[in-house]
Every structure is written in structure tokens, then in C-alpha cells.
């Protein structure tokens, strides 16, 4: 009987396993992951999980019964040491060798920990990436005096964590190295909006603060920045980005370029090995360039493509990127990628407080839409992008024109 081994049991790996069954794979399916926790949803970790009493059992991707029903074997808490492409085997850290017919790398990424003096010996200092990280942060927060928290990094994770802990009564400070928060993922308009939002909630945000040293002093830390400023905190959360888990693929001789390079079928440079999710560098037909995306949507989309290809079906990756973030009472939804935009349109709805959208164009071509508490803008932007329709910018900016599917199309 043929066997497909999937390394990585997060969104991409789990989605691929079940998609394989739907596509008709009758052989064995084995899911291996170094994380001992039953496969779970990652996005809620920095959102609802931190600010609620939920346990991880409420955040699982699939029920235990569903794996049994589909005959999918889970091997959790197991690390893969190497891949032998000639023998078509993988070797686990404990020395056990397993053979495969098809191999899927859903190795994802891990939290990046910057080289800051004293960070490794700081008191109550954690990244935010895994279930254990979230548990560590929540448990530490419950015990520290004054609920004094410092977050290094003003991106998605840092700000979502700040919002969650602020809801629990924390005194939160965010330090961002760049000149503004969200500098890598959003234009100044949105950076300013979220900066003001957090400030109104009592969170202190300080851009252009590069942390160079942390000094642990009994139950608290002194955080020292390059400009000489210092901050005190009982809990430090590090959210400065990720590092792709590509070492296993690289050691096996697979093509690497800003991640594991794959074709339109999510196939690597080895015809029997596929890669999906955050770890992949793949071609996006809409933007006509290679990308590496860190999103659940992309993980699930690539998982389905890989499963179909493994089962011998003709398929190609052709998905539009989308993302979301929850902070306080704000839902931020993004569709498309705004990189390289030449101009933008800010659309404000006069009858809706805290609801607006930003539309990005490269000349006349729509590239992306950011929607703040505006599901209609997100859905309509998605439709326009998929259909490659030309939007009339003047109509879009006119809030007196009703928000309907054909309202903003060029005649």
C-alpha cells in the first residue's frame, strides 16, 4: 500500500491530509509534527485565546474522531531529522526510519528571536507562535504584579497580543524598531489609525525604538534601547517576525529561494516531494511574481492543490491572498497585495462609525483593499480583483454613491 507522509500538522498539513482522502488517496496518510499539542487553530492564539478562559481543546482543527474515520495517523511530539530522497525515507530524531511514496513538507515557520543582549535570560520572556507560547504568556500574565507587559514588535502579532492583554487589565507598552507600526504590512494611513486606536485604549506605543539589551532584576526586566531610553516590565512578549523552517528541505538538496521553491502544483524540485504553506516560495498568477505568504488561507489553498496533484489530477495554484486581524472592536480584512501601488483611494462611509476602506491601484489596475469593519468593501474588493475589473476611483471616493457591486465600475 502506498504511503504519503506529511511533515507538519498545522493548517497546511491537516488540510492536505483530509484533502487527500477527498481526492481519492486510498493509501496510508501519516501526519508528523514536533508540537505535542493536538493540531489547533493558530490565529486565535494572539486574539481570543489570550483574553478568554478557553482551553486548547476548543481550538482544535479537527476532532479526534475525524482522524480515525479518515484513517489518518498522527505522530505528535516527533521531530524529523532528515530526508533520503534516493531511498524515499525520512528519519526521525529517535532513529526510526519511515518510507514514503509521496512526501509533503508543511514545516511552516518559527518565531524569530533577535540577537538582543540578555534576552535569553530575561524574566518571563516569550515569543508568540505556538500553543505553548500562548499558555506561557497567559499563565505568566496572571501571576505578575501590576500586569506590566512590554511587547517588542509592532506588527500583527505584537498588536493583537497588546489588545488581548489590555482587555485583561494589563499595562502595555509596545516598542517598534521602524518609524511606524505595521510598516511591513500596511501604508501610513492604517498605521496611524491603529496607533491612535491603541493609544485610546491606554496602550503606549513607541516607534523608532531598537531594543539592544535586557537586564533581568529579580522579578522584572529593564529594557534598554539604542537611544538610551529604558523601560520596566514583568513580562516581555517578542513579536518581531518569523524564520522559515526550510533547513530540512535544504539539507535534502531541494531548491530553496526565500523558502522552499515550488511549482504551480506545489511540487518541489523533487517530483515525489511537495511543499505547502508558510514555508513555500510560489508563483502567484495574479501578481505575476513569486511570493511567500504567511496566512491560513494560503496554507489551505496550497494543501488542496498538492492533494489533487498527488492523486494525479490536473490542477494549478491560482489564489488571491487575503488576511485578517482582530484588535479590540476592530476587524481588519485585507484582500490582495498593495506592494508597488501608485495611488490609493480612502473610502469613508458617513453612516458608519469606525468603518472605512482603502483601495490600492497601480495606475488603473486594482491591487488590493484594506477594509476596517467593512465586510461589504472586503467582499466587493475580492470580486473586483478576481474578475480583474476596472474601478472608477472618483466614484469610489464619493461616499454619496451607494455601496453596490456595479456602483464603482468604469463605464
Amino acid at each position: 500500500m502506498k504511503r504519503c507522509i506529511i511533515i507538519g500538522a498545522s493548517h497546511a498539513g491537516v488540510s492536505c491530509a483530509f484533502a487527500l482522502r477527498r481526492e481519492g488517496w486510498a493509501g496510508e496518510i501519516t501526519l508528523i509534527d514536533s508540537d505535542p499539542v493536538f493540531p489547533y487553530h493558530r490565529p486565535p492564539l494572539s486574539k481570543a485565546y489570550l483574553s478568554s478562559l478557553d482551553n486548547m481543546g476548543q481550538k482544535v482543527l479537527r476532532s479526534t474522531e475525524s482522524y480515525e474515520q479518515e484513517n489518518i495517523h498522527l505522530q505528535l511530539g516527533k521531530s524529523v531529522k532528515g530526508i533520503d530522497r534516493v531511498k524515499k525515507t525520512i528519519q526521525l530524531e529517535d532513529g526510526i526510519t519511515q518510507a514514503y511514496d509521496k512526501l509533503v513538507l508543511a514545516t511552516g515557520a518559527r518565531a524569530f528571536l533577535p540577537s538582543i543582549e540578555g534576552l535569553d535570560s530575561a524574566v518571563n520572556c516569550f515569543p508568540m507562535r505556538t500553543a505553548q507560547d500562548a499558555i506561557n504568556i497567559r499563565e505568566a500574565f496572571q501571576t505578575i504584579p501590576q500586569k506590566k507587559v512590554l511587547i517588542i514588535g509592532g506588527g500583527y502579532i505584537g498588536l493583537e497580543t497588546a489588545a488581548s492583554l489590555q482587555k485583561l487589565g494589563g499595562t502595555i507598552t509596545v516598542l517598534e524598531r521602524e518609524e511606524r507600526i505595521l510598516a511591513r504590512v500596511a501604508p501610513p494611513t492604517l498605521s496611524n489609525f491603529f496607533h491612535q486606536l491603541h493609544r485610546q485604549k491606554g496602550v503606549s506605543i513607541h516607534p523608532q525604538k531598537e531594543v539592544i539589551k535586557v537586564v533581568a532584576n529579580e522579578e522584572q526586566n529593564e529594557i534598554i534601547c539604542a537611544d538610551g531610553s529604558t523601560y520596566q516590565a514583568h513580562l516581555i512578549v517578542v513579536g518581531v517576525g518569523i524564520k522559515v523552517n526550510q533547513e530540512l528541505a535544504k539539507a535534502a538538496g531541494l531548491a530553496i529561494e526565500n523558502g522552499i521553491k515550488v511549482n504551480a502544483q506545489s511540487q518541489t524540485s523533487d517530483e515525489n516531494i511537495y511543499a505547502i504553506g508558510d514555508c513555500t516560495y510560489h508563483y502567484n498568477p495574479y501578481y505575476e511574481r513569486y511570493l511567500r505568504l504567511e496566512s491560513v488561507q494560503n496554507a489551505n489553498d496550497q494543501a488542496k492543490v498538492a492533494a489533487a496533484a498527488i492523486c494525479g489530477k490536473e490542477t494549478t495554484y491560482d489564489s488571491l491572498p487575503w488576511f485578517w486581524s482582530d484588535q479590540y472592536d476592530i476587524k481588519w480584512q485585507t484582500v490582495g497585495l498593495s506592494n508597488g501601488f501608485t495611488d490609493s483611494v480612502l473610502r469613508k462611509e458617513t453612516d458608519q462609525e469606525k468603518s472605512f476602506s482603502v483601495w490600492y491601484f497601480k495606475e488603473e489596475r486594482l491591487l488590493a483593499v484594506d477594509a476596517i469593519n467593512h465586510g461589504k468593501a472586503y467582499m466587493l474588493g475580492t470580486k473586483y480583483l478576481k474578475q480583474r475589473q476596472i474601478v472608477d476611483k472618483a466614484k469610489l471616493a464619493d461616499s454619496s454613491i451607494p455601496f453596490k457591486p456595479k456602483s464603482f465600475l468604469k463605464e
Side-chain angles (χ1 to χ4, degrees):
M1 181 180 289
K2 289 186 176 182
R3 174 192 278 181
C4 180
I5 294 178
I6 302 171
I7 303 175
S10 190
H11 292 272
V14 171
S15 292
C16 187
F18 284 89
L20 279 168
R21 288 293 184 230
R22 289 195 301 272
E23 295 292 350
W25 180 267
E28 292 183 21
I29 300 175
T30 300
L31 266 170
I32 302 174
D33 202 300
S34 58
D35 194 333
V37 181
F38 201 79
Y40 53 88
H41 287 278
R42 287 186 183 273
L45 292 179
S46 57
K47 304 180 181 77
Y49 179 74
L50 276 186
S51 58
S52 71
L53 297 177
D54 292 352
N55 58 50
M56 288 312 301
Q58 296 171 289
K59 304 296 181 185
V60 296
L61 289 170
R62 296 273 187 157
S63 66
T64 304
E65 294 76 19
S66 62
Y67 292 91
E68 295 171 353
Q69 290 169 0
E70 297 294 347
N71 196 23
I72 295 170
H73 306 288
L74 285 173
Q75 295 184 15
L76 303 177
K78 302 282 188 180
S79 296
V80 178
K81 182 180 180 180
I83 301 169
D84 188 325
R85 292 167 52 197
V86 176
K87 295 181 179 179
K88 293 174 68 176
T89 60
I90 63 166
Q91 185 178 28
L92 303 183
E93 288 285 0
D94 58 13
I96 294 177
T97 297
Q98 298 184 17
Y100 66 83
D101 293 282
K102 298 293 182 182
L103 178 65
V104 180
L105 303 179
T107 49
R110 59 189 182 275
F112 171 69
L113 295 177
S115 299
I116 298 173
E117 182 182 348
L119 188 67
D120 56 352
S121 57
V123 177
N124 292 325
C125 179
F126 308 103
M128 169 54 86
R129 181 71 184 178
T130 68
Q132 189 58 55
D133 293 334
I135 292 169
N136 290 341
I137 292 169
R138 194 163 75 169
E139 289 181 349
F141 182 80
Q142 291 169 348
T143 61
I144 62 173
Q146 303 171 41
K147 306 300 181 188
K148 205 168 185 180
V149 181
L150 184 136
I151 297 173
I152 303 175
Y156 281 126
I157 294 298
L159 295 180
E160 288 172 358
T161 302
S164 296
L165 294 180
Q166 189 278 336
K167 289 179 183 179
L168 297 178
T171 301
I172 317 296
T173 299
V174 177
L175 302 183
E176 169 56 51
R177 184 179 64 178
E178 302 299 328
E179 63 180 15
R180 58 185 174 88
I181 59 173
L182 299 166
R184 290 179 294 177
V185 297
T189 301
L190 284 180
S191 293
N192 294 336
F193 172 79
F194 280 101
H195 192 134
Q196 294 301 318
L197 173 68
H198 282 271
R199 190 172 70 172
Q200 290 167 6
K201 297 293 184 178
V203 175
S204 297
I205 295 182
H206 302 277
Q208 295 183 297
K209 293 289 183 179
E210 182 178 3
V211 178
I212 60 171
K213 188 176 182 180
V214 176
V215 179
N217 182 12
E218 295 182 358
E219 294 183 351
Q220 69 174 0
N221 305 286
E222 180 180 34
I223 297 90
I224 304 169
C225 297
D227 62 3
S229 57
T230 62
Y231 300 85
Q232 306 294 321
H234 296 96
L235 168 62
I236 297 175
V237 179
V238 182
V240 297
I242 58 94
K243 190 170 184 179
V244 178
N245 293 325
Q246 61 184 25
E247 292 82 2
L248 194 63
K250 186 175 182 179
L254 299 177
I256 301 293
E257 186 178 345
N258 190 27
I260 306 170
K261 194 170 185 179
V262 296
N263 63 16
Q265 289 73 45
S266 287
Q267 189 178 48
T268 69
S269 51
D270 184 314
E271 63 179 2
N272 294 308
I273 302 178
Y274 294 74
I276 54 178
D278 291 6
C279 64
T280 67
Y281 190 55
H282 58 278
Y283 186 78
N284 185 285
Y286 186 84
Y287 294 98
E288 299 177 335
R289 59 189 174 92
Y290 276 85
L291 305 169
R292 189 176 57 74
L293 297 174
E294 299 158 25
S295 74
V296 172
Q297 163 263 334
N298 178 64
N300 291 334
D301 288 343
Q302 284 191 311
K304 294 173 185 176
V305 168
I310 288 170
C311 292
K313 299 181 180 180
E314 289 188 13
T315 181
T316 56
Y317 176 91
D318 185 15
S319 297
L320 193 62
W322 59 267
F323 314 87
W324 83 97
S325 177
D326 293 326
Q327 297 173 44
Y328 309 109
D329 58 345
I330 299 298
K331 177 171 284 294
W332 172 17
Q333 296 170 288
T334 299
V335 59
L337 300 172
S338 61
N339 309 67
F341 74 93
T342 55
D343 56 319
S344 63
V345 173
L346 174 62
R347 164 86 184 194
K348 293 184 177 181
E349 308 305 325
T350 54
D351 59 338
Q352 300 176 51
E353 188 179 0
K354 287 187 179 179
S355 177
F356 66 91
S357 54
V358 186
W359 301 64
Y360 306 91
F361 298 84
K362 186 173 184 179
E363 307 304 340
E364 296 303 310
R365 181 188 177 189
L366 180 64
L367 293 180
V369 179
D370 277 318
I372 302 297
N373 284 350
H374 203 324
K376 286 184 178 179
Y378 170 75
M379 295 300 292
L380 189 56
T382 300
K383 180 180 179 180
Y384 286 168
L385 284 164
K386 286 183 176 180
Q387 297 178 357
R388 299 176 184 258
Q389 293 180 310
I390 304 299
V391 177
D392 189 316
K393 299 173 193 175
K395 291 181 180 178
L396 186 63
D398 186 349
S399 60
S400 67
I401 297 177
F403 213 96
K404 295 181 179 180
K406 295 183 180 180
S407 296
F408 312 119
L409 296 179
K410 276 203 170 181
E411 297 177 355

